[in-house]
Every structure is written in structure tokens, then in C-alpha cells.
Amino acid sequence: ILMLSLALGTMITITSNHWVTAWAGLEINTLAIIPLISKSHHPRAIEAATKYFLTQATASALMLFSSMTNAWSSGQWDITQLTNPPSCLLLTAAIAIKLGLTPFHFWFPEVLQGSSLTTALLLSTAMKFPPTTILLLTSHSLNPTLLSTMAIMSIALGGWMGLNQTQTRKILAFSSISHLGWMTIIITYNPKLTLLTFYLYSLMTTSIFLSMNSTNTLKLSTLMTSWTKAPMLNTTLMLTLLSLAGLPPLTGFLPKWLIIQELTKQEMTTTATIISMLSLLGLFFYLRLTYCSTITLPPNSSNKMKQWSIKKPVNTLTPTL
Amino acid sequence: IPLIYINIILTFTISLLKILIYHSHLISSLLYLKKIILSLFIITTLTTLNTHSLLTNIIPITILIFTTYKTTINLTLLISISNTYNLNYIHNLNLLQY
């Protein structure tokens, strides 16, 4: 029932041209996901659910307020017709809270940490989709300077704060923050590239989450001993992690390349260089993850050969994209 | 009259600030969330009644419906928190820091 309501919520926001339908779809999404987060009756999970709920509720209220000021000044509730500049600013701030961009990113790693791996997957891929569609619909009337500053800061923060983490879910949270920065930097110039980056990012993160779900690795230390359980999974995990980092022969490099190309077309070469330098920070902990998963050997040899047959063939296919 | 408009926007902004700078309890932030949405509701009813458009009359009612959903989930989360925690203070929400 919950998955159906999630799908319904996303479909409502995607197919909306009125502000109230978009808001309603977003509320349905938050409503559906909160019991998923707090399913395990662990205090950490419930705390994560409350944090998530508070932030998302304020963001949706802000969005409603921006639509209302727009309706007051221009008399219409169409999504593509944002004519009031302060309502545009408020809307970008509200969607930034929802997505987890940099001034408002504080809830995201903690919420991902408190939820189980599958719900974390849902949170970071499926829940990002409706706010990005709203951004896409209004991309021609948004404020580029605010968006680009938020995006650069989010890439920087995603790289810096991910350096000291040992919990894999927090690492993936910071990686998603930096990827969101990449997505939002190009949205005012070429919104199709944001869609492309979103699809590729969601594919890669689903593969990583599912592989981590099958071996149940929550810490770096469990990553080191995971090669005994399913060796093929380990190699594919390494490849997907490297593609998340954006190394050239793998598919993760493609959106970064195209974004840098678009930015240089708009004569923003300094931002392009800054972004590419900051993604090196992310590369460090991706490399550390691959190093821990494949190259190191555990102190004691463990002969666990448990059979995890859930969605393994997906992971072997996705890095070969 | 723009004075009423300014008043309601003031309520919205003050309650928003109250959410961001919470005092000690979580319940207060939830209350101010409710107040935000109520102020928004008042704004929508004013706009729809002033413009005399028949299609936009549905908007305040639908907002109220979704706020009832939200408030139910508010209260259930509060109950679960009070079941698992000893206190309701916000400084107790730092289990996920490490």
C-alpha cells in the first residue's frame, strides 16, 4: 500500500500544472515514506523520521506560500508562469530544503543513517525526483546566481564532509549531496542535462545500495570482509563506485563532461574549474571505499559463503552501461 | 485592503522563524507548523473570495484536507517518540551524530 501511495504521489507531482496538485503530491510522498523510515521501532529510526518530517513539512509550507504570493500578484496558479521574483526565491529555497542542497543539507545524512538500506535508497533516488521535476518546470524563471552558489557549496560540502565518515550510508548521503549540486548547476542553462544526470545518478546509487543491501555492509570494516560472501559483487561494486566518482571510461563521467561543456558555452569557466576541483574531494572517499572493498584482506580468514540471491544480476549489468 | 495581507504574512514569517529557532520542546515546532498552514489557508480564502473565480474555490478545502493528514502523522510520531524516549526535549535528538 505504501509503495502504491509513493508512486501515486510522484505521478501527481510530475503530471501537475497547478501548484496545489504539486504540493499535494509532495505531501503524499512524505506521508508514505515516514512509516517506511520508522518501521523498525528503533529510536534512531524514529528520530530520523521526525527530522525528515519536520524539514519536509516546512519546505512544503514554504512552497505553498511562494505559490500563494505568486497567485496574489499575478492571479494564476500555473506552475510555468512564475512572475513574482520573491516567490521564485522562496520556491528555490523550499526545493533546496526538500532536496538537501547546501544551506539546508543538515537533515540528510542523519536521516539516511537512521533508516534501513532500502528505505535510504528510496529516500535518495525516488524522493528527489518530484522536486527536480518542479525545478525543471520552472527553470526558465529561476534565479541563476542563487542556484549556482548553492550548487557549488553543496559540491564542496559533499566532498569535505564525506572525508571523515566510516558509515557507508552517510558517505552515500554526502555523495548524493554533491551529485545534486552537479544537477542544479546546469538547470537554468540546459534542463535536459539535469534529467540525464539524475537518471544516471539514480541508476548508480540503486546499484550500490542494492549491493550493499545484499551483503549488509553498514560500516567500512564490514566492507573489508565482504569479498568472501560474493566475490563477483565486490568487483561490480568497485566499478560502480568509480563511475559514481566520475572517472572517464565509465558512464559517470558523461554527465560531468556535458555539464562542463555547457558551462563553458555560457562562459562560466571559473565555476567549471571550481566544480571539477571539488569533485576530486569526492573521488578520495570513493577510492577509499573501493580500496577497502577489494584490495584489503581481513586479519582472520572467514569462510562464510552465505547465499544472498536478491537482485544480484542487476548489479553485474549496471556498471557495464 | 493590503493591511490584512501584511498581517497574515507577518504571522507566517514569525511562525516560520519560531520553527527554525525552537525553544525546548518539539511540540512547539509542530504547533507553529500548524499555524503556518492556517495562515496560508486564510490567504487562499481571501484571494479566492476577492477574485470571485469559481474554479479556485476548491483550493482552501483541499489544503485543509491535507493538513489533517499531516497533523495525524505529527501526533503519531510524537507518540512514538514519547514511547521510546524519556523526555520530549530537542537536545535528545542527537543519537544519529556519529
Short mmCIF file of all heavy atoms in Angstrom, two decimals, chain A residues 18-41:
data_model
loop_
_atom_site.label_atom_id
_atom_site.label_comp_id
_atom_site.label_asym_id
_atom_site.label_seq_id
_atom_site.Cartn_x
_atom_site.Cartn_y
_atom_site.Cartn_z
N HIS A 18 -0.65 22.80 -11.85
CA HIS A 18 -1.22 23.70 -10.84
C HIS A 18 -0.42 23.50 -9.57
O HIS A 18 0.03 22.39 -9.27
CB HIS A 18 -2.69 23.30 -10.62
CG HIS A 18 -3.48 24.34 -9.90
ND1 HIS A 18 -3.53 24.42 -8.54
CD2 HIS A 18 -4.28 25.32 -10.35
CE1 HIS A 18 -4.33 25.41 -8.19
NE2 HIS A 18 -4.80 25.97 -9.27
N TRP A 19 -0.21 24.58 -8.83
CA TRP A 19 0.66 24.47 -7.67
C TRP A 19 0.12 23.55 -6.60
O TRP A 19 0.86 22.87 -5.90
CB TRP A 19 0.87 25.85 -7.04
CG TRP A 19 1.94 26.62 -7.69
CD1 TRP A 19 1.81 27.80 -8.35
CD2 TRP A 19 3.33 26.28 -7.75
NE1 TRP A 19 3.01 28.22 -8.81
CE2 TRP A 19 3.96 27.30 -8.47
CE3 TRP A 19 4.06 25.21 -7.30
CZ2 TRP A 19 5.32 27.28 -8.71
CZ3 TRP A 19 5.42 25.21 -7.54
CH2 TRP A 19 6.02 26.24 -8.24
N VAL A 20 -1.20 23.53 -6.44
CA VAL A 20 -1.79 22.77 -5.34
C VAL A 20 -1.64 21.28 -5.57
O VAL A 20 -1.40 20.51 -4.63
CB VAL A 20 -3.27 23.16 -5.13
CG1 VAL A 20 -3.90 22.35 -4.04
CG2 VAL A 20 -3.35 24.61 -4.81
N THR A 21 -1.73 20.86 -6.84
CA THR A 21 -1.54 19.43 -7.12
C THR A 21 -0.11 19.02 -6.85
O THR A 21 0.14 17.93 -6.30
CB THR A 21 -1.90 19.12 -8.57
OG1 THR A 21 -1.13 19.97 -9.43
CG2 THR A 21 -3.35 19.34 -8.82
N ALA A 22 0.86 19.90 -7.18
CA ALA A 22 2.25 19.58 -6.91
C ALA A 22 2.47 19.45 -5.40
O ALA A 22 3.11 18.49 -4.92
CB ALA A 22 3.16 20.66 -7.49
N TRP A 23 1.93 20.40 -4.66
CA TRP A 23 2.08 20.37 -3.21
C TRP A 23 1.44 19.12 -2.61
O TRP A 23 1.98 18.49 -1.70
CB TRP A 23 1.44 21.64 -2.64
CG TRP A 23 1.45 21.72 -1.17
CD1 TRP A 23 2.49 22.05 -0.37
CD2 TRP A 23 0.33 21.49 -0.31
NE1 TRP A 23 2.11 22.04 0.93
CE2 TRP A 23 0.79 21.70 1.00
CE3 TRP A 23 -0.99 21.13 -0.52
CZ2 TRP A 23 -0.05 21.56 2.10
CZ3 TRP A 23 -1.82 21.00 0.58
CH2 TRP A 23 -1.35 21.20 1.86
N ALA A 24 0.25 18.76 -3.16
CA ALA A 24 -0.45 17.59 -2.65
C ALA A 24 0.35 16.32 -2.90
O ALA A 24 0.45 15.45 -2.01
CB ALA A 24 -1.82 17.48 -3.31
N GLY A 25 0.94 16.23 -4.10
CA GLY A 25 1.75 15.05 -4.40
C GLY A 25 2.96 14.94 -3.49
O GLY A 25 3.31 13.84 -3.02
N LEU A 26 3.59 16.08 -3.20
CA LEU A 26 4.75 16.07 -2.31
C LEU A 26 4.34 15.66 -0.90
O LEU A 26 5.06 14.90 -0.22
CB LEU A 26 5.41 17.44 -2.29
CG LEU A 26 6.23 17.74 -3.52
CD1 LEU A 26 6.56 19.20 -3.60
CD2 LEU A 26 7.50 16.95 -3.49
N GLU A 27 3.19 16.14 -0.44
CA GLU A 27 2.74 15.75 0.88
C GLU A 27 2.44 14.25 0.95
O GLU A 27 2.75 13.59 1.95
CB GLU A 27 1.45 16.52 1.23
CG GLU A 27 1.61 18.01 1.30
CD GLU A 27 1.83 18.48 2.72
OE1 GLU A 27 0.92 18.33 3.53
OE2 GLU A 27 2.92 19.00 3.00
N ILE A 28 1.83 13.73 -0.11
CA ILE A 28 1.53 12.30 -0.14
C ILE A 28 2.83 11.49 -0.07
O ILE A 28 2.92 10.46 0.61
CB ILE A 28 0.71 11.94 -1.40
CG1 ILE A 28 -0.69 12.48 -1.28
CG2 ILE A 28 0.65 10.45 -1.62
CD1 ILE A 28 -1.48 12.38 -2.53
N ASN A 29 3.87 12.00 -0.78
CA ASN A 29 5.15 11.30 -0.73
C ASN A 29 5.73 11.26 0.67
O ASN A 29 6.17 10.21 1.14
CB ASN A 29 6.16 12.00 -1.65
CG ASN A 29 6.18 11.36 -3.00
OD1 ASN A 29 5.78 10.23 -3.16
ND2 ASN A 29 6.64 12.09 -3.99
N THR A 30 5.71 12.42 1.36
CA THR A 30 6.27 12.44 2.71
C THR A 30 5.45 11.55 3.65
O THR A 30 6.00 10.82 4.47
CB THR A 30 6.28 13.86 3.27
OG1 THR A 30 4.97 14.39 3.21
CG2 THR A 30 7.22 14.73 2.52
N LEU A 31 4.13 11.59 3.49
CA LEU A 31 3.27 10.76 4.31
C LEU A 31 3.57 9.29 4.12
O LEU A 31 3.57 8.51 5.08
CB LEU A 31 1.81 10.99 3.91
CG LEU A 31 1.10 12.20 4.47
CD1 LEU A 31 -0.28 12.26 3.90
CD2 LEU A 31 1.02 12.09 5.95
N ALA A 32 3.84 8.90 2.87
CA ALA A 32 4.04 7.48 2.60
C ALA A 32 5.41 7.02 3.08
O ALA A 32 5.55 5.87 3.49
CB ALA A 32 3.92 7.23 1.10
N ILE A 33 6.40 7.91 3.05
CA ILE A 33 7.74 7.45 3.37
C ILE A 33 7.99 7.39 4.87
O ILE A 33 8.78 6.57 5.33
CB ILE A 33 8.77 8.32 2.63
CG1 ILE A 33 9.01 7.70 1.29
CG2 ILE A 33 10.04 8.47 3.39
CD1 ILE A 33 10.19 8.23 0.57
N ILE A 34 7.30 8.24 5.64
CA ILE A 34 7.59 8.30 7.08
C ILE A 34 7.34 6.98 7.79
O ILE A 34 8.20 6.55 8.58
CB ILE A 34 6.85 9.49 7.72
CG1 ILE A 34 7.68 10.72 7.45
CG2 ILE A 34 6.66 9.29 9.18
CD1 ILE A 34 7.02 11.98 7.81
N PRO A 35 6.25 6.24 7.54
CA PRO A 35 6.18 4.92 8.18
C PRO A 35 7.23 3.94 7.68
O PRO A 35 7.63 3.04 8.41
CB PRO A 35 4.76 4.43 7.85
CG PRO A 35 4.29 5.28 6.77
CD PRO A 35 4.94 6.57 6.90
N LEU A 36 7.69 4.15 6.44
CA LEU A 36 8.77 3.28 5.95
C LEU A 36 10.06 3.53 6.72
O LEU A 36 10.81 2.60 7.01
CB LEU A 36 9.02 3.55 4.46
CG LEU A 36 8.16 2.80 3.46
CD1 LEU A 36 8.50 3.25 2.06
CD2 LEU A 36 8.38 1.32 3.58
N ILE A 37 10.31 4.80 7.05
CA ILE A 37 11.54 5.12 7.77
C ILE A 37 11.46 4.55 9.19
O ILE A 37 12.41 3.98 9.70
CB ILE A 37 11.76 6.64 7.82
CG1 ILE A 37 12.01 7.19 6.43
CG2 ILE A 37 12.94 6.97 8.70
CD1 ILE A 37 12.12 8.67 6.41
N SER A 38 10.29 4.72 9.81
CA SER A 38 10.19 4.38 11.22
C SER A 38 9.63 2.99 11.43
O SER A 38 8.95 2.73 12.41
CB SER A 38 9.32 5.40 11.94
OG SER A 38 8.05 5.41 11.34
N LYS A 39 9.92 2.08 10.49
CA LYS A 39 9.33 0.76 10.59
C LYS A 39 9.97 -0.08 11.67
O LYS A 39 9.35 -0.92 12.27
CB LYS A 39 9.49 0.06 9.23
CG LYS A 39 8.43 -0.95 8.93
CD LYS A 39 8.89 -1.84 7.80
CE LYS A 39 8.11 -1.58 6.55
NZ LYS A 39 8.39 -2.54 5.49
N SER A 40 11.26 0.16 11.93
CA SER A 40 11.99 -0.81 12.74
C SER A 40 11.83 -0.60 14.23
O SER A 40 12.39 -1.35 15.01
CB SER A 40 13.47 -0.74 12.40
OG SER A 40 13.95 0.53 12.77
N HIS A 41 11.12 0.43 14.67
CA HIS A 41 10.88 0.73 16.08
C HIS A 41 12.16 0.92 16.86
O HIS A 41 12.19 0.74 18.07
CB HIS A 41 10.04 -0.38 16.75
CG HIS A 41 8.68 -0.47 16.17
ND1 HIS A 41 7.68 0.44 16.45
CD2 HIS A 41 8.14 -1.35 15.31
CE1 HIS A 41 6.60 0.10 15.78
NE2 HIS A 41 6.83 -0.97 15.09
#
